[in-house]
Amino acid sequence: MAEEIGRTASAESSSSTTRWAWPTVLRWIPTSTDRIIAAEKRLLSLVKTGYEQDQVNIGPGPPGSKVRWFRSSSDEPRFINTVTFDSKENAPTLVMVHGYGASEGFFFRNFDALASHFRVIAIDQLGWGGSSRPDFTCKSTEETETWFIDSFEEWRKAKNLNKFILLGHSFGGYVAAKYALKHPEHVQHLILVGPAGFTSETEHKSEWLTKFRATWKGFIMNHLWESNVTPQKVIRGLGPWGPDLVRRYTSARFGSSSTGNMLTEEESRLLTDYVYHTLAAKASGELCLKYIFSFGAFARKPLLQSASEWKIPTTFVYGYQDWMNYQGAQQARKDMKVPCEIIRVPQAGHFVFIDNPAGFHSAVLYACRRILSTDHADTRSLPEGLTSA
């Protein structure tokens, strides 16, 4: 009897092990705002400079706004996830804004170097990273731009910032430029890193894209774009295979296919974990894609058309291998009535601040040489290795 019970228990244990083995392999890895913040904290453990993480309350909507930057059945307050790094007293403020599909943690290789010269503040835009992710129901380019510009302005008010240097990468560069056009009184200097949105498809006249669109593959891709099928939706749809796809991407883009300084094993592991959680969370800000850009990442309301209205001195920074074309910035510069510089950084692609951190830091310091203290004020020549376009 005892032996039979033993065999039964053993069989049940074996059956239980068999029954639960496959879901463990195929389980979805859950995510949430708390998990994003935890992953961010692990990634920022690589940074030596002290910092404070805060979720800045920007309220349920900008007072008196005719176009709310979100529509939702809930009027709960919205938050912008913010990290502020320790700095020297009276250091100028540098606000860093991430690009599409990224979050503030992507600047992890830059915080230490920049915090020695600036009061560095990095944010997750509304609907991204560890910030609130309200329902995204914007239906036009104008509403979508307002979503990001007004939420950033409410964040600025909550942080009581009057003047600051504004740095934006890729789509964050587009938002930063649009913000500076609307609120130039708050921006000391604009640094656009591989900015998206300077030219439209008409201005670019891409023969390759026209031919590709005429193919069945191009037709399908364009349909998916206009249907707002985002890369994040693919990650979520892959369920348990999502983390591995993210790992493959980060390992390739910042490892084997890197044009500059490859990530260490620890950096790659922590960044992969962070990226997965930010991409797999609730869809919100990512849904801006089709309203801001047409297929091929061409702006529906290109910044080039506003170049003559520019009021802020601007520095463009591009990696040599950046897929964003610096010639759009050159075109814009012709119409600008303010100082404008275009700097190219070697051994770097679109993520110049990850690929070549030292070159990127040199470019930022050079861009801000007139704002920084006197020990940088006399730096007139472009730092070695960088080139002007």
Side-chain angles (χ1 to χ4, degrees), residues 171-197:
F171 170 67
Y174 178 89
V175 173
K178 291 283 184 174
Y179 176 84
L181 283 165
K182 188 173 181 179
H183 300 283
E185 68 276 12
H186 298 304
V187 182
Q188 282 179 285
H189 194 87
L190 191 60
I191 302 176
L192 303 179
V193 184

Side-chain angles (χ1 to χ4, degrees), residues 93-96 107 110 113-115 117-118 120 165-168 189-193 315-317 341 343 345 352-353 356-372 376 382-383 386:
T93 298
L94 171 66
V95 177
M96 305 180 76
F107 296 113
N110 316 117
L114 295 178
H117 302 279
F118 304 95
V120 175
I165 302 157
L166 182 56
L167 182 153
H189 194 87
L190 191 60
I191 302 176
L192 303 179
V193 184
T315 301
F316 294 88
V317 180
E341 297 173 318
I343 299 173
V345 180
V352 55
F353 46 89
N356 186 349
F360 173 72
H361 302 152
S362 293
V364 172
L365 292 176
Y366 182 77
C368 300
R369 62 193 181 277
R370 294 182 180 89
I371 298 173
L372 291 167
H376 292 281
L382 197 64
L386 306 182

Side-chain angles (χ1 to χ4, degrees), residues 45-183:
S45 68
L46 299 171
V47 179
K48 296 176 182 177
T49 307
Y51 71 92
E52 179 181 305
Q53 183 270 331
D54 188 23
Q55 290 184 307
V56 178
N57 187 336
I58 59 171
S65 175
K66 294 180 180 179
V67 181
R68 292 181 59 165
W69 24 270
F70 61 86
R71 295 191 183 93
S72 177
S73 57
S74 169
D75 280 333
E76 66 184 21
R78 309 304 182 186
F79 298 90
I80 296 293
N81 186 41
T82 306
V83 287
T84 304
F85 289 84
D86 297 344
S87 62
K88 297 177 182 177
E89 190 176 356
N90 298 322
T93 298
L94 171 66
V95 177
M96 305 180 76
V97 183
H98 63 83
Y100 187 90
S103 300
E104 63 190 17
F106 270 65
F107 296 113
F108 73 97
R109 278 187 158 185
N110 316 117
F111 292 137
D112 280 330
L114 295 178
S116 63
H117 302 279
F118 304 95
R119 179 194 178 206
V120 175
I121 305 176
I123 67 163
D124 287 333
Q125 297 191 68
L126 184 67
W128 295 97
S131 291
S132 295
R133 294 181 178 238
D135 300 331
F136 188 92
T137 54
C138 296
K139 298 299 181 185
S140 68
T141 301
E142 291 75 15
E143 284 188 359
T144 303
E145 288 184 354
T146 301
W147 160 290
F148 293 104
I149 295 169
D150 282 10
S151 59
F152 184 85
E153 172 61 3
E154 292 304 305
W155 171 85
R156 181 202 65 79
K157 291 176 183 177
K159 289 289 288 182
N160 195 29
L161 295 177
N162 184 38
K163 280 280 191 180
F164 52 91
I165 302 157
L166 182 56
L167 182 153
H169 171 243
S170 196
F171 170 67
Y174 178 89
V175 173
K178 291 283 184 174
Y179 176 84
L181 283 165
K182 188 173 181 179
H183 300 283

Side-chain angles (χ1 to χ4, degrees), residues 16 27 40 47 72-73 128 150 203 262 287 293 299-300 306 318 370 372 380:
S16 176
R27 76 182 188 280
E40 175 181 278
V47 179
S72 177
S73 57
W128 295 97
D150 282 10
E203 291 156 336
M262 291 177 19
L287 300 176
F293 305 109
R300 298 191 187 277
S306 304
Y318 293 88
R370 294 182 180 89
L372 291 167
R380 295 287 178 247

Side-chain angles (χ1 to χ4, degrees), residues 154-366:
E154 292 304 305
W155 171 85
R156 181 202 65 79
K157 291 176 183 177
K159 289 289 288 182
N160 195 29
L161 295 177
N162 184 38
K163 280 280 191 180
F164 52 91
I165 302 157
L166 182 56
L167 182 153
H169 171 243
S170 196
F171 170 67
Y174 178 89
V175 173
K178 291 283 184 174
Y179 176 84
L181 283 165
K182 188 173 181 179
H183 300 283
E185 68 276 12
H186 298 304
V187 182
Q188 282 179 285
H189 194 87
L190 191 60
I191 302 176
L192 303 179
V193 184
F198 262 85
T199 56
S200 66
E201 186 177 346
T202 303
E203 291 156 336
H204 194 269
K205 298 176 182 177
S206 173
E207 184 179 342
W208 174 87
L209 185 62
T210 302
K211 289 181 178 178
F212 180 69
R213 267 217 181 107
T215 67
W216 67 269
K217 289 182 180 179
F219 174 81
I220 292 174
M221 291 294 290
N222 187 66
H223 176 73
L224 291 173
W225 185 283
E226 294 299 331
S227 300
N228 230 349
V229 177
T230 65
Q232 292 88 334
K233 287 184 178 179
V234 175
I235 298 297
R236 295 185 199 103
L238 285 172
W241 291 279
D244 186 60
L245 180 62
V246 174
R247 180 189 60 78
R248 289 171 182 268
Y249 167 73
T250 54
S251 296
R253 171 58 186 85
F254 304 113
S256 57
S257 299
S258 174
T259 54
N261 300 340
M262 291 177 19
L263 295 181
T264 66
E265 186 176 332
E266 183 181 20
E267 286 176 325
S268 182
R269 176 177 57 81
L270 293 174
L271 182 61
T272 296
D273 176 54
Y274 174 68
V275 171
Y276 170 74
H277 283 291
T278 61
L279 296 183
K282 174 190 171 183
S284 182
E286 73 191 64
L287 300 176
C288 72
L289 193 60
K290 79 167 188 175
Y291 297 108
I292 299 294
F293 305 109
S294 63
F295 179 60
F298 296 111
R300 298 191 187 277
K301 292 184 68 177
L303 289 164
L304 186 59
Q305 296 175 1
S306 304
S308 62
E309 303 168 27
W310 229 259
K311 297 180 177 66
I312 306 300
T314 302
T315 301
F316 294 88
V317 180
Y318 293 88
Y320 271 26
Q321 287 78 40
D322 198 330
W323 63 275
M324 287 294 178
N325 196 329
Y326 68 90
Q327 292 173 347
Q330 288 179 319
Q331 287 180 268
R333 183 170 57 185
K334 294 176 183 177
D335 295 327
M336 287 183 181
K337 300 177 179 65
V338 294
C340 174
E341 297 173 318
I342 302 171
I343 299 173
R344 299 185 69 201
V345 180
Q347 296 180 309
H350 189 52
F351 291 93
V352 55
F353 46 89
I354 294 179
D355 295 332
N356 186 349
F360 173 72
H361 302 152
S362 293
V364 172
L365 292 176
Y366 182 77

